[in-house]
Amino acid sequence: MTEVKRDTNLELYRTFCMLLIVAHHYVVNSGLLAEILNPLPLSAKSAYLYVLGMWGKVGINCFLMITGYFMCVSRITLRKFIKILAEIYFYSIVIYIIFLIAGRESLSMSRVFQVLLPVRDFDTDFTSCFVVFYLTIPFWNILISNMNKKQHQLLLVFLIVIFSICGTLPQFTVSINYVTWFGVIYAIASYIRLYDIPAFNNKLIWMAGTIMLSLIAMASVISMKHFGRYPFAFVVDSNKFLALALAICSFLWFKNINIKYSAVINAIGGSTFGVLLIHAQSDAMRQWLWRDVIDCTGHYDLPIFQLVLYSLTSIVVIFAICVLIDLLRQRLLERHMLASFDRLHSSHSKIGDPNF
């Protein structure tokens, strides 16, 4: 399989991951969990929505698998970092101004400070943790490039046992933040990329593993809720073993799917970070999108077939609109910003090493 085909495969995978995250937000950001889904016995509609909303942490793991797979053989440059930071600031400031004009945001010093410093929560906020982790990648690459295969394997065993297996068992208390966990995912993805292990190329094995683990995960959510326990216990965070195993299996499955190069798929995949930044930007956005426009709780009373159709259509439409917005941003703003950066960079002597 050529590298171009692999890139398109993984951009399709990135697209699928972000759809899982949007589906997760349909349930957890809309008030459905707090207002409707808790009572027992579990109805068919509630069971469906629990399953629809269970994939958020799996999606985060999948998203980071792609980053690790590509960046372990690449370098961070000032240009790449500015590109990411500019995208974050653009959506943070523009969306805040729009909601401020609409009367849905407050004009206070604390809120303005949050908008102007969008990278601030290094515990559970994906964007903040991703930016911080991104800056640690050069150091991860130094570690990875100076390990042999056996040492890399031992590191993976240690990290997975401590953070995932122990983090899943109720007898252990394992506290992590995303910055730490992203390093674990990075170590796994880099191992897949750097070592040509025949089993990693067996599409049927990883397809079967993905389907089997998905069924187990869905059964765990329904059964836990049926018995009055917390339904997402085995996928509640990214380090839970089911969430990790699903990400690994699905990544290896998509990596081996034979898809020809597609500029459309690559463009959509390249806009997925923008999808996240738009639809999950702030509390005001969550209130407006999920509670006012989509009105997830108000549509819960639909018949089951109509509810399924409405929820899936809403997820796809939100994703598609966000992709279109981000593609316009790339074309109208980012392209010119990066071109100006390239001209400036080429016309001046280098200050330090941009490949820091």
Side-chain angles (χ1 to χ4, degrees):
M1 185 184 302
T2 66
E3 189 63 26
V4 171
K5 288 181 179 178
R6 285 185 176 180
D7 288 359
T8 297
N9 292 349
L10 294 182
E11 293 300 342
L12 178 63
Y13 182 64
R14 196 198 305 266
T15 299
F16 181 69
C17 297
M18 191 51 61
L19 282 168
L20 292 180
I21 293 172
V22 177
H24 171 70
H25 290 158
Y26 180 97
V27 176
V28 302
N29 287 340
S30 62
L32 281 169
L33 279 178
E35 300 172 18
I36 291 178
L37 297 183
N38 283 326
L40 290 171
L42 193 64
S43 68
K45 290 191 291 186
S46 295
Y48 161 72
L49 289 171
Y50 274 117
V51 169
L52 181 69
M54 66 177 280
W55 307 102
K57 305 305 181 181
V58 177
I60 287 175
N61 284 343
C62 297
F63 204 82
L64 265 296
M65 288 287 292
I66 300 170
T67 300
Y69 186 80
F70 286 119
M71 291 305 299
C72 70
V73 293
S74 183
R75 292 181 299 179
I76 291 182
T77 63
L78 181 60
R79 187 181 192 273
K80 290 179 182 178
F81 185 68
I82 288 176
K83 180 176 180 292
I84 291 175
L85 208 58
E87 184 176 2
I88 293 171
Y89 267 101
F90 174 80
Y91 286 122
S92 179
I93 294 172
V94 169
I95 291 175
Y96 170 71
I97 292 173
I98 291 172
F99 280 124
L100 182 65
I101 294 172
R104 290 178 172 269
E105 280 280 13
S106 62
L107 184 61
S108 63
M109 289 299 297
S110 60
R111 185 69 185 107
V112 171
F113 179 77
Q114 289 177 343
V115 172
L116 296 179
L117 191 65
V119 178
R120 61 188 180 275
D121 178 4
F122 304 134
D123 184 17
T124 58
D125 180 69
F126 176 86
T127 302
S128 299
C129 292
F130 180 76
V131 171
V132 172
F133 172 74
Y134 195 82
L135 293 175
T136 70
I137 287 177
F139 305 100
W140 274 101
N141 286 347
I142 292 171
L143 172 65
I144 290 166
S145 63
N146 284 279
M147 291 191 299
N148 58 39
K149 183 178 179 180
K150 183 67 173 180
Q151 291 169 331
H152 203 148
Q153 290 172 341
L154 291 175
L155 175 66
L156 290 183
V157 170
F158 176 77
L159 293 176
I160 292 172
V161 168
I162 294 299
F163 288 108
S164 186
I165 295 177
C166 292
T168 303
L169 296 174
Q171 293 84 359
F172 294 87
T173 300
V174 178
S175 297
I176 65 168
N177 62 23
Y178 277 156
V179 178
T180 304
W181 179 247
F182 291 171
V184 179
I185 296 293
Y186 195 86
I188 295 171
S190 62
Y191 183 80
I192 294 172
R193 181 63 182 263
L194 296 177
Y195 300 104
D196 188 20
I197 297 176
F200 289 164
N201 299 319
N202 192 316
K203 179 174 62 177
L204 292 179
I205 288 177
W206 302 112
M207 178 181 69
T210 301
I211 294 172
M212 180 186 68
L213 289 172
S214 297
L215 292 174
I216 292 173
M218 289 187 285
S220 74
V221 169
I222 300 303
S223 60
M224 291 291 284
K225 182 60 183 178
H226 176 75
F227 291 109
R229 308 293 294 274
Y230 182 63
F232 303 125
F234 295 106
V235 290
V236 67
D237 213 342
S238 300
N239 69 312
K240 298 301 180 181
F241 188 73
L242 260 179
L244 175 61
L246 266 168
I248 295 172
C249 286
S250 60
F251 176 81
L252 289 168
W253 176 19
F254 271 79
K255 184 180 78 71
N256 292 294
I257 296 176
N258 188 17
I259 299 178
K260 294 181 179 180
Y261 172 79
S262 170
V264 174
I265 293 176
N266 284 6
I268 293 173
S271 299
T272 50
F273 189 51
V275 173
L276 179 67
L277 293 175
I278 296 169
H279 90 276
Q281 178 57 229
S282 63
D283 290 338
M285 172 62 83
R286 297 181 187 98
Q287 172 69 37
W288 174 78
L289 179 61
W290 299 114
R291 294 175 180 259
D292 298 342
V293 176
I294 305 300
D295 189 17
C296 302
T297 57
H299 288 85
Y300 178 78
D301 292 330
L302 290 173
I304 180 65
F305 176 77
Q306 293 181 28
L307 177 62
V308 171
L309 183 63
Y310 181 80
S311 60
L312 295 181
T313 301
S314 299
I315 291 163
V316 172
V317 169
I318 289 169
F319 178 85
I321 291 173
C322 291
V323 165
L324 290 175
I325 292 172
D326 197 63
L327 288 174
L328 285 173
R329 179 196 63 84
Q330 292 177 36
R331 184 175 183 85
L332 300 178
L333 296 175
E334 183 178 89
R335 177 185 299 180
H336 301 292
M337 180 198 73
L338 294 177
S340 298
F341 175 86
D342 292 338
R343 287 193 297 269
L344 182 65
H345 185 266
S346 62
S347 62
H348 292 79
S349 59
K350 293 182 179 179
I351 302 177
D353 181 8
N355 298 319
F356 61 106

